[in-house]
Amino acid sequence: MEPKLLILAGLGDSGEMHWQSYWQKKFKNSTKVIQDNWEEPKLEDWLFKLNEAVQKLDSPTILVAHSLAVSMVLHWTSAYTNSNIIGALLVAPADVDSPLHTPDLVRNFAPIPLHKIPFPSLVIGTENDNYITLERTQYLAKMWGSDFVNIGQKGHINSDSNLEFWEEGQMLLQQLINRINA
């Protein structure tokens, strides 16, 4: 089975040099949730857009979330369910609970829910992310019941990381798909 990918960008959207944008071009089975306000996000608005997109799904889909969108996914799983969502790739979560790591304008996404995610998930973190510590990322993955991978010194895994098609991420996505299919 080749699931669809629902791409969920974080604060400011994913620019054209972001791996999510490269993936959207590469994977014809992908779509992206477009938020009305990328610069001043409101959790309720973002959840509405996500849920609206999920309700339109007609086949098995994996959520591919980056940064602030990881928090959105956890809030969504607290309030909604959908049998078409079969997994989540959660990349570089932003620590919205920490004023040291994230700007005040994302504080309305706090607290990050700490419940077990109801489908297979993989959290990917780094040793030098400015928006969360590695230890916090590992803790969140454990609380969510997610697998965890540390990919080393790749920053916030965003445009500044210069990953383009991010082949390592594609391999990790395939591992998640294999786990779901097992």
Side-chain angles (χ1 to χ4, degrees):
M1 167 195 58
E2 183 180 354
K4 289 185 177 178
L5 304 178
L6 187 59
I7 295 176
L8 309 171
L11 178 66
D13 194 7
S14 298
E16 67 179 58
M17 300 308 292
H18 195 288
W19 62 268
Q20 284 185 316
S21 298
Y22 280 89
W23 283 21
Q24 190 174 5
K25 291 174 192 168
K26 177 178 180 164
F27 296 110
K28 301 305 177 200
N29 60 335
S30 70
T31 57
K32 181 178 176 180
V33 173
I34 304 299
Q35 299 293 346
D36 291 332
N37 190 340
W38 292 109
E39 304 305 324
E40 296 176 357
K42 300 289 181 246
L43 176 60
E44 299 79 26
D45 297 341
W46 279 37
L47 283 174
F48 177 82
K49 286 290 193 177
L50 172 56
N51 197 53
E52 183 179 61
V54 167
Q55 295 311 314
K56 293 176 183 174
L57 297 173
D58 60 1
S59 62
T61 301
I62 294 175
L63 304 175
V64 179
H66 178 258
S67 192
L68 184 60
V70 173
S71 245
M72 175 183 61
V73 166
L74 268 294
H75 284 285
W76 183 84
T77 62
S78 294
Y80 303 99
T81 60
N82 185 293
S83 60
N84 284 320
I85 301 300
I86 60 167
L89 186 71
L90 306 171
V91 180
D95 192 353
V96 297
D97 295 338
S98 170
L100 297 174
H101 291 105
T102 53
D104 287 340
L105 62 99
V106 300
R107 207 70 61 231
N108 70 92
F109 282 70
I112 298 173
L114 298 177
H115 63 272
K116 187 172 185 324
I117 298 172
F119 38 74
S121 56
L122 173 61
V123 175
I124 301 172
T126 70
E127 298 164 3
N128 62 334
D129 190 330
N130 291 332
Y131 298 100
I132 194 168
T133 65
L134 181 62
E135 295 77 19
R136 176 78 168 151
T137 307
Q138 290 171 311
Y139 169 76
L140 292 174
K142 180 180 177 185
M143 297 307 295
W144 298 336
S146 304
D147 292 337
F148 173 76
V149 175
N150 170 2
I151 62 167
Q153 299 283 316
K154 293 201 173 69
H156 191 51
I157 315 175
N158 58 7
S159 296
D160 292 341
S161 302
N162 197 28
L163 299 172
E164 296 185 357
F165 287 97
W166 190 32
E167 289 80 4
E168 180 183 22
Q170 291 179 50
M171 290 186 328
L172 293 169
L173 173 62
Q174 188 58 55
Q175 288 175 13
L176 176 61
I177 292 169
N178 293 345
R179 179 177 162 215
I180 292 166
N181 288 334

